[in-house]
Amino acid sequence: MNWLNVFGLVFVVLLLIPNIIYAIKDKNKQNKCTNKFMNVIEQIGRYGCMFLMVFNIGIAEFGFGSVYAFLIYLFGNTLLIILYWIIWILYFKKHTYLKQMSLAVIPTCLFLLSGITMQHYLLVLFGVIFGMGHIYVTSKNRED
């Protein structure tokens, strides 16, 4: 099962759960970002990151350099997921721009932390692409 990163799969699923709940609750939400290039960049980055978090494809990935890198990966991502869920809970109660932007930055940090600690440079690249697109699109969808 070297091709599957179980920890990465768990982290991706935990990122997706509140997003799915939000999509179900706010079905009629429209994307206010009219920049098609940035919308495409966001999606390329998002799906690239999720794919590379879960599947080991053997391109530009070298694995954890040490036990400490693995521990940083595990505990750092766990902390980011906990923070992400807390902010989602607060965001469901009251939408603010700060919470909205935090929900854009935290997954970016998770993807970058994962890529750096796993020495998975393709994931780092897609994390940067995702971060640029997601933060831009989120800023254009300001709610408060």
Side-chain angles (χ1 to χ4, degrees):
M1 297 260 300
N2 277 346
W3 58 274
L4 181 69
N5 178 350
V6 176
F7 290 111
L9 176 62
V10 169
F11 289 133
V12 168
V13 168
L14 291 173
L15 282 175
L16 288 175
I17 290 171
N19 286 282
I20 292 168
I21 294 168
Y22 180 73
I24 292 169
K25 281 180 70 172
D26 289 345
K27 290 179 187 171
N28 298 324
K29 194 74 169 169
Q30 296 294 323
N31 183 1
K32 298 176 194 171
C33 180
T34 58
N35 186 327
K36 290 182 188 214
F37 176 76
M38 292 307 284
N39 283 316
V40 169
I41 288 294
E42 177 191 27
Q43 296 309 316
I44 289 170
R46 168 177 293 144
Y47 294 114
C49 285
M50 289 191 300
F51 180 83
L52 293 170
M53 284 282 293
V54 176
F55 299 105
N56 300 318
I57 61 172
I59 299 172
E61 59 188 47
F62 301 100
F64 298 106
S66 68
V67 172
Y68 296 112
F70 173 72
L71 292 174
I72 291 168
Y73 166 85
L74 190 61
F75 290 112
N77 284 343
T78 300
L79 184 63
L80 287 168
I81 289 290
I82 291 168
L83 182 60
Y84 189 66
W85 274 61
I86 289 169
I87 294 172
W88 263 114
I89 290 167
L90 297 172
Y91 186 73
F92 283 135
K93 293 180 181 186
K94 183 175 189 318
H95 295 197
T96 68
Y97 184 65
L98 178 61
K99 292 174 201 167
Q100 196 177 0
M101 288 306 292
S102 297
L103 293 171
V105 170
I106 292 170
T108 302
C109 292
L110 186 135
F111 294 139
L112 292 174
L113 177 65
S114 296
I116 292 166
T117 56
M118 290 190 297
Q119 300 179 68
H120 193 324
Y121 302 114
L122 196 55
L123 177 55
V124 173
L125 174 65
F126 275 92
V128 169
I129 291 168
F130 170 72
M132 290 185 323
H134 194 48
I135 292 166
Y136 178 86
V137 170
T138 299
S139 71
K140 296 300 180 184
N141 283 287
R142 187 177 185 141
E143 291 186 7
D144 71 348

